[in-house]
Amino acid sequence: MAINPYWNFNFFEFFGLFIQRLSLFVVGRLPLDQLTTDEIQVGALALISIAAALIGGLLYLRRMTMLANALSHTILLGIICAFLVVVSFAPVKELSLATLDLKILLIAAFITALLTALCTEWLTKVMRLYSDASIGLVFSVFFALGITLVTLQTRNTHLGIEAIMGNVDGLHLHD
């Protein structure tokens, strides 16, 4: 394991070396396997920030920020439903976190997000509600159902804050 190149640097020296190493990586003189975990984490955060800023600006201009908020919360219902289905069909001996495939959870989240958008659009077009009222109604119902299922069905499950907020400190090169 290589020694951290930032060892024993002060605050300003750290940023000088960081910019130097970043420029070497961009021009191809520093291979990917020579990057430190800190550099990978900063890179991932920078890319996420750029993507969120672009999508957030577009949603703000189209006046759809409330729908984005609703989608990000209502997918909890899909994730907990997928979790309960996987747990109910898995034998007790083989039940572990390894049985929870990320693809299944992502598909369930996507289906719930699609259902959220369809229900919102249906309430707006057919029931003639204002769009913000329909978003608020679907958001409240789906998120409340998700919270209720999580509370009732997973009492003995330890779910750390990392599952909700993420943990960039755990990000490494192989990720």
Side-chain angles (χ1 to χ4, degrees):
M1 183 171 177
I3 297 175
N4 190 336
Y6 300 105
W7 182 258
N8 217 8
F9 276 48
N10 68 27
F11 183 77
F12 296 108
E13 291 171 339
F14 166 82
F15 282 107
L17 182 59
F18 179 78
I19 292 169
Q20 178 186 9
R21 287 178 57 85
L22 180 64
S23 63
L24 288 173
F25 176 72
V26 169
V27 297
R29 293 182 47 208
L30 183 66
L32 181 64
D33 61 343
Q34 294 294 317
L35 291 178
T36 65
T37 304
D38 297 334
E39 293 164 342
I40 293 168
Q41 292 168 357
V42 169
L45 287 173
L47 292 175
I48 290 169
S49 299
I50 291 168
L54 292 173
I55 293 170
L58 175 70
L59 290 173
Y60 177 76
L61 290 174
R62 296 194 68 199
R63 300 183 188 269
M64 296 177 66
T65 55
M66 191 170 170
L67 180 62
N69 188 23
L71 291 175
S72 68
H73 285 77
T74 58
I75 62 170
L76 176 66
L77 178 61
I79 291 171
I80 188 63
C81 287
F83 171 77
L84 293 174
V85 167
V86 168
V87 167
S88 66
F89 286 119
V92 177
K93 291 183 213 174
E94 297 176 17
L95 189 61
S96 69
L97 284 179
T99 60
L100 293 175
D101 189 13
L102 180 63
K103 293 174 193 161
I104 294 172
L105 298 178
L106 288 174
I107 290 169
F110 176 74
I111 290 169
T112 309
L114 190 61
L115 187 63
T116 300
L118 290 174
C119 288
T120 301
E121 194 65 24
W122 181 79
L123 286 172
T124 302
K125 300 291 184 200
V126 176
M127 301 301 286
R128 303 218 186 266
L129 289 175
Y130 290 115
S131 64
D132 55 348
S134 63
I135 292 169
L137 183 65
V138 173
F139 166 65
S140 299
V141 170
F142 282 16
F143 191 49
L145 283 172
I147 293 292
T148 303
L149 285 174
V150 166
T151 303
L152 293 176
Q153 300 297 323
T154 60
R155 289 194 186 273
N156 296 327
T157 302
H158 172 71
L159 186 64
I161 193 69
E162 295 85 10
I164 306 298
M165 303 299 288
N167 184 4
V168 76
D169 288 336
L171 187 63
H172 298 286
L173 181 60
H174 63 344
D175 297 331

